[in-house]
């Protein structure tokens, strides 16, 4: 537990450093482009356009519950994209940026957190597009929208904790990046980001139950509940809530324990 407290203290104290690192890394990655950081806005907009063409015009999908397909998908893909990119990119931060941490004298634990900030713009664009689309289709925002605060907090804790754990494992097992890429390709379709798992009657009940306790599924559906005004977060099945926080707490405890155990020897591993 002391490792968790130390971890949060470092995140709070060095939060401006993590944010500035994210801005620097984003600027470095886009400075060679003609439009520069404008691509942070253009990229998600192009994604929205592609999904509109495929699923809104060509396929004319129907979502169980009568939700409009495009806003439903925009919300799911926005939440999914932030988690996936934070976890995968964050796993590489310690491995790739250790020298910067040693020169600038800040704790290595904030490197995965800096990855999170880098994808926030795309996330909010997707969520805002989903909200506008929901309003256009008659889903007027209600007080349920306030629980975006709760789900965003849960999203931060889960994404950053998982990123820290993977970043620590990457130090001793660099091949993890391949397993992460393969896993996320599968999880995209099993998390409810693109397809509603309830519409596949052929899925066994035990597998459907396993999907519903998936943290990715919980967060994606939570943001949809907030924007479409479906239900309050405390009205979700208690077993799903407990599963999410149990898994997140375990990842956080394991990640901080491993991180602080090897932090002084990271340079030896690399």
């Amino acid at each position: 537990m002391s490792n968790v407290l130390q971890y949060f203290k470092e995140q709070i104290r060095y939060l401006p450093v993590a944010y500035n690192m994210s801005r620097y890394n984003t600027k470095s990655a886009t400075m060679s482009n003609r439009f520069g950081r404008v691509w942070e806005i253009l990229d998600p907009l192009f994604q929205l356009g592609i999904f509109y063409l495929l699923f809104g015009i060509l396929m004319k999908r129907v979502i169980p519950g009568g939700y409009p397909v495009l806003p439903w998908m925009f919300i799911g893909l926005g939440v999914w994209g932030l988690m996936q990119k934070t976890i995968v990119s964050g796993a590489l931060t310690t491995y790739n940026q250790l020298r910067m941490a040693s020169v600038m004298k800040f704790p290595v634990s904030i490197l995965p957190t800096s990855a999170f900030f880098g994808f926030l713009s795309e996330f909010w664009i997707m969520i805002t597009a989903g909200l506008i689309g929901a309003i256009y289709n008659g889903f007027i925002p209600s007080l349920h929208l306030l629980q975006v605060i709760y789900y965003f907090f849960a999203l931060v804790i889960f994404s950053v904790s998982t990123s820290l754990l993977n970043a620590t494992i990457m130090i001793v097992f660099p091949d993890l990046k391949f397993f992460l890429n393969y896993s996320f390709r599968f999880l995209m379709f099993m998390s409810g980001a693109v397809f509603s798992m309830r519409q596949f009657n052929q899925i066994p009940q035990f597998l459907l139950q396993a999907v519903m306790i998936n943290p990715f599924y919980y967060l994606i559906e939570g943001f949809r509940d907030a924007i479409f005004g479906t239900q309050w977060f405390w009205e979700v099945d208690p077993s799903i809530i407990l599963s999410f926080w149990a898994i997140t707490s375990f990842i956080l405890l394991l990640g901080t324990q491993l991180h602080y155990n090897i932090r002084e020897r990271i340079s030896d591993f690399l």
Side-chain angles (χ1 to χ4, degrees):
M1 193 62 184
S2 60
N3 288 331
V4 174
L5 294 176
Q6 182 179 352
Y7 171 73
F8 280 122
K9 287 179 181 177
E10 290 178 353
Q11 303 313 298
I12 294 172
R13 180 179 178 183
Y14 292 94
L15 191 63
V17 178
Y19 176 72
N20 289 331
M21 283 181 56
S22 171
R23 287 175 57 86
Y24 172 78
N25 291 333
T26 302
K27 186 176 181 179
S28 298
T30 59
M31 65 184 303
S32 60
N33 299 328
R34 182 75 64 175
F35 293 133
R37 299 194 63 179
V38 175
W39 282 110
E40 292 182 44
I41 299 175
L42 292 179
D43 184 59
L45 290 179
F46 278 125
Q47 291 184 52
L48 294 177
I50 292 171
F51 287 121
Y52 174 75
L53 177 63
L54 290 177
F55 298 102
I57 297 179
L58 298 180
M59 297 181 63
K60 297 186 181 299
R61 287 184 54 207
V62 176
I63 302 298
Y67 300 112
V69 59
L70 292 178
W72 187 90
M73 285 189 61
F74 292 166
I75 296 166
L77 289 169
V79 178
W80 164 260
L82 181 60
M83 289 189 286
Q84 185 262 337
K85 292 175 181 178
T86 297
I87 293 170
V88 174
S89 298
L92 298 169
T93 53
T94 304
Y95 190 85
N96 293 334
Q97 301 180 25
L98 179 63
R99 179 175 296 181
M100 181 186 298
S102 61
V103 171
M104 298 181 65
K105 304 300 181 184
F106 56 77
V108 181
S109 65
I110 72 168
L111 289 174
T113 305
S114 68
F116 176 83
F117 287 112
F119 304 107
L120 273 179
S121 297
E122 180 177 334
F123 166 76
W124 287 118
I125 289 174
M126 298 286 277
I127 294 298
T128 302
L131 176 60
I132 293 173
I135 295 172
Y136 178 78
N137 285 275
F139 289 85
I140 306 302
S142 64
L143 289 176
H144 288 86
L145 192 61
L146 293 175
Q147 61 190 339
V148 164
I149 299 172
Y150 162 76
Y151 282 112
F152 184 73
F153 171 77
L155 174 64
V156 172
I157 297 297
F158 174 73
S159 300
V160 174
S161 300
T162 308
S163 182
L164 176 70
L165 175 61
N166 288 322
T168 304
I169 297 175
M170 270 283 295
I171 295 169
V172 296
F173 185 61
D175 291 358
L176 176 65
K177 59 180 177 289
F178 298 106
F179 291 97
L180 285 177
N181 288 326
Y182 299 144
S183 298
F184 275 107
R185 289 173 188 173
F186 173 75
L187 278 172
M188 181 176 183
F189 299 99
M190 297 297 292
S191 64
V194 179
F195 300 103
S196 174
M197 303 308 296
R198 293 187 176 92
Q199 67 186 115
F200 298 110
N201 298 325
Q202 64 271 29
I203 297 180
Q205 186 62 33
F206 76 92
L207 184 57
L208 183 62
Q209 196 65 30
V211 170
M212 294 183 70
I213 65 172
N214 177 350
F216 296 92
Y217 180 87
Y218 174 75
L219 291 169
I220 289 171
E221 288 299 306
F223 273 87
R224 287 173 177 153
D225 287 342
I227 291 177
F228 289 117
T230 308
Q231 61 183 347
W232 290 102
F233 66 88
W234 59 78
E235 295 175 336
V236 177
D237 186 340
S239 63
I240 296 178
I241 300 175
L242 291 175
S243 296
F244 170 79
W245 285 111
I247 293 171
T248 301
S249 299
F250 174 76
I251 292 174
L252 177 61
L253 288 168
L254 180 60
T256 52
Q257 181 69 30
L258 293 177
H259 175 79
Y260 289 109
N261 280 349
I262 72 169
R263 185 154 82 172
E264 301 301 325
R265 296 177 293 147
I266 289 178
S267 58
D268 297 332
F269 286 107
L270 298 181

